[in-house]
Each structure stands twice: as C-alpha cells, then as structure tokens.
Amino acid sequence: MYSSVAQLARTNPFSAPHFQLGQDCVVSRKSQVPQVQKTRQLAAAAVKDGEYSCEYGSAQFYAMCGFGGILSCGITHTAVVPLDLVKCRIQVDPKKYKSIFNGFSVTLKEDGVRGLAKGWAPTFIGYSMQGLCKFGFYEVFKILYSNMLGEENTYLWRTSLYLAASASAEFFADIALAPMEAAKVRIQTQPGYANTLREAAPKMYAEEGIWAFYKGVAPLWMRQIPYTMMKFACFERTVEALYKYVVPKPRNECSKGEQLVVTFVAGYIAGVFCAIVSHPADSVVSVLNKEKGSTALEVLKRLGPKGVWKGLTARIIMIGTLTALQWFIYDSVKVYFRLPRPPPPEMPESLKKKLGLDQ
C-alpha cells in the first residue's frame, strides 16, 4: 500500500524536492548497476567535439533559440487565426456567436472565407516578437538562475527554476506582443472598424494615443505569465517523466525522430493545462481591447465567474495543438542547426556522494 502511494507521489511533476530526492535515493539504492561518474549541471550536457554547431549558453546559441521561437510562435499562431477569431468573438459577443460551429457559420455568412483571415498580419508580427523573447530569454534566465543556485540546488529545485525562468522571459515577451495583440483584437471583434493592420494602427493611435497599444499589457501578463510558467515547467517535467516511465529506452538511444515525437506529446499535454490556467485572463484581454475607456477590473466584474470561461473549448483545442506544434518546431530548429539539447536532468555526482549512492 505504502509503496504504491509513494510511487504515485514520486511521479508527480510538481512534487516537493526533498520528497523527490528521498524517493530517488530509494530507487538508486535498489539498483545494482554500476554508474559511470560524470559531472554536469541541469543546464549542461556531455558534448562530443564537433557534435554541436555552437557552445551551450553562447551568444550564437541564444540567437538561434530566439530564431526558433520566432518560427514556432509566428507560424503556429498565424495558422490558427480563423479559430482564434471565432474564439475572440464568442468571448466579446456570446449572444451572437453561441458556439464554435455557430461562430464559424455566422462569420462565413457575414464576411465570407476571407473574413476568417482577419488579423493575420498583427498576429504574425506580434507572436513572432513574442516567440523571440519567450524562448530566447527562457534559455538565458534558465542558465542564469541555474548558475546562481549551483549544481545541487538546480537539481533539487528544478521545477522552481523552470517556473522562474519562464515567468521572467514572458514579462518581456508580453511587452513585445501587446501592440499587435491590441490591433488584432480590434480588427477581429469590431466589424467595420478596420480590415488590415495599416488601417487599424493609425486609427487606434488617433483615438487613444500610444496607450491604445499598451493598455492591455497588464491583462496580458495575467494571461501569459501563468500560461508560460505552465507551458515550460509542465513540458520539462513531462518530458522527464516520459523518458523515465514510458519510453522503453534512454533518450540518447532514441533517434532524433523519436525524440521529436516525445517533444510533441509532452507539448500537447502541457498545452491543455496552459489553456485552462490562462483562459479567464484571455477573456478579459479580448473584451478590454475591444472597448474604449474600460479597465481590466471593470471587465472582470462585468463578465462574472461564468463569463470568463466562455470559449474555453475552442481555446483548449487551439492552445493544445498550438503548444505541441510550437515545441515540435522549436526542437526541430535545434536539431536542424545542431544546437545543444541537454537530456533530462540527473542527480549530480556530488549529491550522490553525500548520500552514499556513488558506490
């Protein structure tokens, strides 16, 4: 009975570090397989000479990660613009757009097929900039915080490290996204206001000045920071769990294609949780950017507990697929350009020696 409960707790991706360590010790003592001693941090992997195109943590590494973020976020968000448009319209006008299918039907009748692509330009530009900061800065902050914590604490507190690094990265990513997100919502949810970014941007500036583009940044932080923390932490721990309990062989024995499949599965699992965590704030952002003179608190009170969950089904489908594809594209960029891709973390040798597990 106890062993089954302990096993269940140990597989929890957000378990407390000391309990996680205790369980790892039990498993390690049971294993009689001799271990080859090696020293590495969570953020560092053994590298063969010439295997990678750049050094882990170098300026080139960060630049290529940022480029991977541009592709992963820009392409995927632009690809789901029709679904995003319907989702936003359900949030701001639920009486007219009653469901996903009804929303598509009404939109096609009123605007035709081209109407489903409204807002594609600000979506592509805005989310490309967000992806650059999100993935690029995540790698920066993950290495920075790992060096501050030290090797042993990095392993023990790796979930907290993922959460802190992703939150820090998203803070800057949302500042880059906010102007284009505001224009996108205006185009998609206010019929007759503007059909293109070139029409919407000057009009918004003439009406409210620069504030029109940044009044939604606080709600964006409310939506995107919890979303991104879940996206990165859940993904990292899910990948770790998949290789430990599901994949029948170690990661270094898997082909690049098999590794990318694991990446996609872990990304989709993380995406479902991301959608649920961030949806209430997403509803507030959609309504806030549509209206002039409203504040986030006023919109939240008006929507109420039920109103903030409108359009959740559409968002789960969109964000689940989106997140899986983003991680797949991002990891594919790393594979293509031969960037360092650290394996799932293992207990440092120094910690094993302290616990008497190195024998």
Side-chain angles (χ1 to χ4, degrees):
M1 175 69 179
Y2 170 77
S3 61
S4 61
V5 174
Q7 176 70 10
L8 179 63
R10 188 165 64 86
T11 60
N12 172 20
F14 298 103
S15 56
H18 296 299
F19 184 69
Q20 176 84 15
L21 176 59
Q23 293 300 319
D24 286 344
C25 293
V26 174
V27 175
S28 298
R29 286 195 179 100
K30 289 180 179 179
S31 176
Q32 300 299 319
V33 180
Q35 300 290 324
V36 179
Q37 290 191 3
K38 58 183 179 180
T39 301
R40 68 177 182 85
Q41 295 186 9
L42 168 71
V47 181
K48 296 179 181 178
D49 292 338
E51 182 180 354
Y52 298 133
S53 61
C54 62
E55 185 181 349
Y56 187 80
S58 65
Q60 182 183 349
F61 173 78
Y62 294 136
M64 295 310 299
C65 287
F67 177 69
I70 289 174
L71 293 182
S72 66
C73 292
I75 293 172
T76 53
H77 277 277
T78 304
V80 296
V81 160
L83 185 59
D84 184 46
L85 179 142
V86 172
K87 183 266 301 178
C88 287
R89 289 184 172 182
I90 292 172
Q91 289 173 326
V92 301
D93 194 355
K95 292 181 180 179
K96 183 177 180 180
Y97 304 94
K98 298 178 177 62
S99 65
I100 300 175
F101 296 109
N102 176 259
F104 273 107
S105 178
V106 172
T107 301
L108 285 170
K109 286 179 181 178
E110 293 182 349
D111 303 325
V113 176
R114 292 186 65 182
L116 292 173
K118 276 188 174 181
W120 74 268
T123 297
F124 179 74
I125 297 170
Y127 282 94
S128 293
M129 293 301 97
Q130 188 210 36
L132 169 67
C133 298
K134 186 199 296 275
F135 284 93
F137 285 154
Y138 173 70
E139 300 289 355
V140 171
F141 284 115
K142 186 167 73 168
I143 293 175
L144 174 65
Y145 296 157
S146 176
N147 291 337
M148 291 170 62
L149 286 171
E151 185 178 21
E152 294 178 6
N153 285 329
T154 290
Y155 175 79
L156 292 173
W157 296 96
R158 57 193 182 281
T159 301
S160 299
L161 171 67
Y162 303 144
L163 292 170
S166 57
S168 301
E170 190 60 37
F171 177 86
F172 296 101
D174 289 341
I175 296 174
L177 169 64
M180 293 297 102
E181 178 74 2
K184 174 188 78 79
V185 172
R186 288 285 183 96
I187 293 169
Q188 291 181 338
T189 62
Q190 289 188 248
Y193 183 84
N195 290 320
T196 66
L197 177 60
R198 285 179 295 179
E199 293 176 15
K203 197 171 182 179
M204 291 170 64
Y205 184 77
E207 291 174 351
E208 300 180 70
I210 197 70
W211 175 243
F213 300 99
Y214 288 99
K215 70 177 184 179
V217 71
L220 264 181
W221 282 329
M222 291 166 54
R223 180 187 81 182
Q224 290 296 130
I225 290 179
Y227 163 86
T228 302
M229 292 170 73
M230 182 66 72
K231 174 179 180 175
F232 282 86
C234 186
F235 172 80
E236 297 270 20
R237 295 308 299 260
T238 301
V239 167
E240 186 178 336
L242 287 175
Y243 279 115
K244 195 169 187 178
Y245 301 108
V246 179
V247 180
K249 53 186 176 181
R251 179 180 180 268
N252 58 2
E253 295 179 11
C254 296
S255 67
K256 292 294 190 292
E258 290 170 337
Q259 292 177 18
L260 290 174
V261 169
V262 174
T263 296
F264 184 86
V265 172
Y268 207 101
I269 293 171
V272 172
F273 289 102
C274 290
I276 296 171
V277 166
S278 61
H279 189 73
D282 181 65
S283 297
V284 173
V285 170
S286 295
V287 176
L288 187 66
N289 282 325
K290 178 191 174 186
E291 300 176 351
K292 290 185 287 187
S294 297
T295 65
L297 190 59
E298 291 170 351
V299 171
L300 186 61
K301 288 180 179 178
R302 189 165 69 252
L303 288 174
K306 291 185 178 180
V308 295
W309 295 105
K310 291 285 184 181
L312 178 61
T313 303
R315 194 155 191 268
I316 285 177
I317 296 170
M318 184 182 80
I319 296 299
T321 307
L322 206 66
T323 305
L325 288 173
Q326 284 177 359
W327 278 114
F328 183 84
I329 293 171
Y330 181 66
D331 216 21
S332 297
V333 169
K334 282 188 168 183
V335 169
Y336 181 79
F337 288 105
R338 298 186 299 110
L339 301 182
R341 299 166 61 243
E346 298 175 2
M347 186 184 298
E349 293 298 323
S350 60
L351 205 52
K352 289 181 180 179
K353 289 179 180 179
K354 288 181 180 179
L355 299 167
L357 302 175
D358 61 334
Q359 298 177 355

